[in-house]
Amino acid sequence: MKLLITLAAIFFTLQLAAKEYNINVSESMSFHLGKKQVEQIFTAIYQPLNISPKFHYLPSQRGLKWVNQGQFDAEAGRVESAMHRFDALIPVPTPLATVRLAVFCLAPQFCQVDRNEGMIIIEGSLLSVQFCERFALNCHAVQNTISAFQALAKSHSHQLLATDHFSIGSLCDSGLQKVYMYTLPGQGVKVHHYIHKKHLPLLTKIDLSIKEKLANGELNAFIDRLNSEFASCNGEIIQLTTSPSTKDLLYP
């Protein structure tokens, strides 16, 4: 009986490899990491399974709906708080990464969460939206990271609230040469890869692949590559270890 089950699992995997395997990528993830990086990460994760995924970039809720309905096979990465209404999706146990909110600015004194100042956020970034709603902040959404950094450069706002995993390469397109970053205190939120329940037989193998790529540093190497992109256009990100001021600030 065990032999039959093993053969059936192998047959299922081979059949799946012969078919298309479609992964939806949220607008937030594609803006924060960049499409090239996302595709490299998940191509590497699925390579041991002999699956070459195809990638789709749909508006946030529409993409999730398609995956939940089984029209797509997987969701690249989401935080758990965004997934309560999508009961056909199963999280891969090992998280891809832990993301934290950070404030980006062009001068150190502005890298803080200030109730008296308007803050820029990136459209589709659930963590930023939830944070702004939770603390009743004055936040204004822009389309993507390029628009966000250009808004800083034009002094439309002094602060950008975003996650610490984002497309640093987009800074080259913003025309900026130096950006400061202060990561907000907190434990961060884990991002998981989700698959449709019809692919439950693949869950253990995907989880093992993610574990291996975390252990050998392959996934972190993708993120490190992002950090070097801004340097390629003579840009610099300076990380602040403490908030520059305590006056009128919000500490979550």
Side-chain angles (χ1 to χ4, degrees), residues 116-187:
N116 300 318
E117 294 286 342
M119 301 188 74
I120 300 168
I121 61 174
I122 300 165
E123 192 173 289
S125 176
L126 181 65
L127 286 181
S128 299
V129 171
Q130 290 177 338
F131 187 87
C132 291
E133 292 176 348
R134 178 184 175 191
F135 295 105
L137 300 176
N138 182 21
C139 297
H140 308 279
V142 296
Q143 187 176 10
N144 53 46
T145 51
I146 298 174
S147 300
F149 287 114
Q150 286 177 341
L152 284 183
K154 295 176 182 178
S155 298
H156 294 321
S157 175
H158 293 303
Q159 294 99 4
L160 163 64
L161 180 68
T163 64
D164 56 353
H165 289 65
F166 74 104
S167 182
I168 301 217
S170 65
L171 281 166
C172 291
D173 297 319
S174 71
L176 298 173
Q177 292 187 327
K178 182 183 293 185
V179 173
Y180 294 88
M181 167 184 170
Y182 173 62
T183 303
L184 297 179
Q187 297 300 311

Side-chain angles (χ1 to χ4, degrees), residues 12 90-91 195-206:
F12 177 85
I90 303 170
I195 62 173
H196 191 273
K197 61 184 180 182
K198 66 185 177 183
H199 296 307
L200 182 59
L202 293 177
L203 185 65
T204 301
K205 292 182 179 181
I206 297 171

